[in-house]
């Protein structure tokens, strides 16, 4: 039978003890839920907001969780940074170290993250082989399909060497995001020829491929799918190379911290602004204030593999209630669309603890075994039932939103109904 967490069950949890940005007091019946996000570089502000949202929700629901065997636990939060100052974004070595640290922290039961799919592909196999696990990871932001379903050779099985799944996500994947973006650009904007660039990362290659494949199906000519080097000081030569083919659309399969600012500037300098040659970027450009403030970003379209923060707030219910309490504490409504999806990931973990024996293995089995766990629409901060397919870990909600940069901020144009 599916286990549903009701508001009464959540509100019964009492007195939260939050660990100060990193530490766990340990001892007694303590469970640590961690976050694993890049807290340096261009996305620092966005991920600080995600952490603030998760901390606030824990404060609201209390901090004593009773597992299915009747044991009462105190819940603490620990923040891990997977970025380095040298890179200004997530770092392979830091992700590998964090994974080992998660396993070594005896009281830690689950990880909320990562932000970048490439980092998750490093961490998930380590957590999967935890002798006391597998240890559960739930992401609010990973969208690369290969983490959960066949995509590139060997995926997803190579991330689960034990043969058991320990990873899930509350957000839709890039195959759906690419499909929605291509359908929108063809049907609503009417573009005919698109140049696709990718940052050669796991995420960038995946979302670029998804867009390009679906653009062709929509009758759009894909001029090329070009990998660019994020360390280059200029990309004007790339745009000059294709200018003679008269693209009316450019798609960036990338994150903004892959030198996205320079990429946007050079696109506008060579091909024209975003009213002349349309720019569409995926959710790797969402949540970056530096991008929003760029004059060259004006008019750019963005896709987000979920429902945007303003949509979730406008629909009322628990999402709006939480957003208003966030404003009361932090002075403004959530700006980052991943914030509420981070809270949703936390809701899944709390539901799993309540349905388990309070161990790593037990929690993973509760969330990704049997019929899994379900957060009712009435209790969900996403305004709809939250349920991860226990066989894959993917959310059953295939939401994608189209936004546009307007007056220095992304404004929601519409949730896109994907056509299969």
């Amino acid at each position: 039978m599916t286990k549903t967490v009701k508001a009464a069950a959540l509100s019964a949890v009492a007195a939260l003890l939050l660990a100060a940005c990193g530490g766990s007091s340990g001892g007694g019946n303590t469970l640590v839920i961690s976050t694993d996000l890049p807290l340096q570089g261009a996305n620092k502000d966005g991920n600080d907001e995600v952490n603030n949202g998760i901390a606030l929700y824990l404060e609201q629901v209390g901090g004593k969780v009773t597992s299915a065997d009747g044991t009462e636990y105190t819940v603490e939060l620990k923040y891990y940074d997977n970025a380095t100052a040298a890179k200004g974004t997530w770092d392979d070595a830091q992700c590998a170290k964090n994974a080992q640290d998660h396993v070594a922290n005896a009281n830690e039961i689950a990880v909320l993250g990562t932000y970048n799919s490439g980092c998750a592909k490093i961490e998930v196999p380590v957590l999967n082989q935890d002798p006391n696990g597998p240890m559960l990871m739930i992401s609010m932001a990973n969208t690369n399909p290969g983490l959960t379903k066949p995509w590139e050779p060997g995926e997803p099985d190579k991330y689960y060497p034990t043969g058991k799944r320990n990873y899930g996500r509350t957000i839709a994947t890039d195959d759906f995001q690419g499909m929605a973006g291509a359908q929108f650009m063809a049907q609503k904007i009417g573009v005919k020829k698109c140049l696709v660039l990718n940052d050669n990362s796991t995420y960038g290659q995946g979302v670029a491929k998804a867009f390009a494949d679906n653009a062709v199906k929509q009758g759009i000519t894909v001029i090329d799918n070009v990998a660019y080097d994020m360390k280059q000081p200029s990309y004007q030569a790339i745009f000059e190379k294709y200018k003679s083919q008269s693209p009316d659309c450019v798609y960036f399969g990338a994150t903004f911290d892959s030198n996205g600012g320079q990429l946007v500037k050079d696109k506008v300098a060579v091909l024209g602004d975003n009213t002349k040659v349309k720019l569409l970027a995926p959710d790797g450009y969402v949540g970056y204030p530096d991008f929003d403030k760029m004059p060259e970003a004006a008019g750019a379209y963005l896709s987000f593999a979920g429902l945007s923060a303003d949509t979730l707030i406008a629909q009322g219910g628990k999402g709006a209630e939480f957003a208003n309490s966030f404003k009361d504490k932090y002075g403004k409504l959530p700006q980052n669309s991943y914030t509420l999806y981070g809270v949703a990931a936390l809701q899944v973990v709390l539901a799993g603890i309540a349905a388990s024996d309070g161990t790593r293995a037990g929690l993973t089995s509760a969330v990704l075994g049997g019929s899994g766990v379900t957060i009712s629409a009435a209790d969900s901060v996403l305004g709809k039932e939250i349920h991860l397919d226990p066989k894959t870990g993917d959310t059953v909600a295939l939401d994608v939103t189209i936004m546009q940069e307007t007056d220095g901020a992304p404004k929601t144009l519409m949730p896109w109904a994907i056509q299969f």
Side-chain angles (χ1 to χ4, degrees):
M1 180 178 180
T2 300
K3 310 162 194 80
T4 302
V5 176
K6 299 296 185 182
L10 289 175
S11 62
V13 184
L16 170 70
L17 296 176
L18 282 177
C21 199
S24 165
S25 62
N29 293 327
T30 301
L31 295 179
V32 174
I33 298 173
S34 67
T35 69
D36 195 315
L37 303 166
L39 302 178
Q40 302 177 69
N43 200 235
K44 174 183 174 4
D45 291 345
N47 283 320
D48 283 345
E49 184 184 285
V50 172
N51 278 336
N52 286 340
I54 289 169
L56 177 60
Y57 187 81
L58 278 172
E59 183 179 12
Q60 290 176 344
V61 302
K64 299 287 185 184
V65 175
T66 302
S67 61
D69 66 0
T71 305
E72 185 179 76
Y73 294 96
T74 297
V75 177
E76 296 183 352
L77 180 65
K78 180 177 174 67
Y79 305 128
Y80 289 76
D81 182 4
N82 60 42
T84 60
K87 284 192 68 174
T89 184
W90 72 277
D91 180 83
D92 295 54
Q94 190 62 48
C95 292
K97 180 182 184 301
N98 284 2
Q100 296 291 345
D101 289 346
H102 291 310
V103 172
N105 185 355
N107 292 334
E108 193 169 329
I109 193 170
V111 183
L112 304 179
T114 58
Y115 177 82
N116 301 91
S117 297
C119 184
K121 290 185 176 185
I122 294 169
E123 294 200 23
V124 170
V126 177
L127 304 185
N128 187 259
Q129 297 173 85
D130 171 15
N132 296 313
M135 189 175 189
L136 183 67
M137 174 181 278
I138 304 293
S139 175
M140 72 297 291
N142 296 158
T143 53
N144 184 268
L147 282 159
T148 53
K149 49 192 166 185
W151 192 246
E152 298 294 339
E155 292 181 337
D157 292 345
K158 65 182 180 180
Y159 306 118
Y160 308 99
T162 67
K164 298 178 181 178
R165 294 293 181 104
N166 63 306
Y167 170 87
R169 46 186 156 199
T170 55
I171 203 153
T173 50
D174 286 333
D175 43 347
F176 300 114
Q177 182 176 192
M179 187 182 301
Q183 290 172 358
F184 170 77
M185 294 300 280
Q187 297 173 25
K188 294 294 184 181
I189 307 303
V191 302
K192 301 299 182 183
K193 298 171 74 174
C194 284
L195 173 63
V196 178
L197 282 77
N198 74 81
D199 62 6
N200 211 27
S201 69
T202 297
Y203 167 79
Q205 289 176 333
V207 71
K209 178 181 183 296
F211 174 83
D213 289 350
N214 283 282
V216 171
K217 294 177 182 177
Q218 290 294 313
I220 297 172
T221 298
V222 176
I223 297 172
D224 205 349
N225 183 355
V226 185
Y228 73 91
D229 181 356
M230 64 177 287
K231 296 180 181 179
Q232 293 300 309
S234 173
Y235 302 105
Q236 290 198 14
I238 293 177
F239 296 112
E240 290 285 0
K241 178 180 178 180
Y242 295 99
K243 184 177 181 180
S244 64
Q245 297 186 51
S246 302
D248 57 2
C249 156
V250 176
Y251 184 82
F252 290 165
T255 60
F256 181 69
D257 51 17
S258 295
N259 207 8
Q262 191 63 47
L263 198 67
V264 174
K265 289 178 182 178
D266 290 342
K267 178 268 176 192
V268 171
V270 176
L271 299 180
D273 66 23
N274 301 318
T275 61
K276 180 180 179 182
V277 176
K278 311 301 182 185
L279 172 61
L280 174 63
D283 56 356
Y285 273 65
V286 175
Y288 289 88
D290 288 346
F291 172 67
D292 298 335
K293 291 183 290 188
M294 290 182 65
E296 296 87 350
Y301 296 105
L302 299 170
S303 63
F304 177 72
L307 296 175
S308 62
D310 49 359
T311 298
L312 293 169
I313 293 167
Q315 70 186 10
K318 288 289 182 182
E321 180 183 310
F322 176 79
N324 287 324
S325 65
F326 185 97
K327 181 179 180 181
D328 290 342
K329 181 157 188 173
Y330 299 109
K332 60 182 179 180
L333 292 168
Q335 306 298 299
N336 186 355
S337 295
Y338 289 115
T339 299
L340 288 169
Y341 282 85
V343 174
L346 175 61
Q347 288 186 305
V348 170
V349 171
L350 292 176
I353 294 172
S356 74
D357 60 3
T359 65
R360 290 178 183 175
L363 170 59
T364 301
S365 293
V367 174
L368 297 174
S371 56
V373 296
T374 299
I375 314 301
S376 70
D379 295 324
S380 163
V381 294
L382 303 182
K384 61 175 61 179
E385 185 177 276
I386 302 172
H387 182 73
L388 308 188
D389 182 337
K391 293 181 180 179
T392 65
D394 281 327
T395 178
V396 299
L398 304 181
D399 296 311
V400 177
T401 299
I402 304 298
M403 298 181 281
Q404 187 174 29
E405 287 289 337
T406 307
D407 298 326
K411 300 296 194 301
T412 295
L413 291 182
M414 65 189 75
W416 186 261
I418 299 173
Q419 301 147 30
F420 292 96

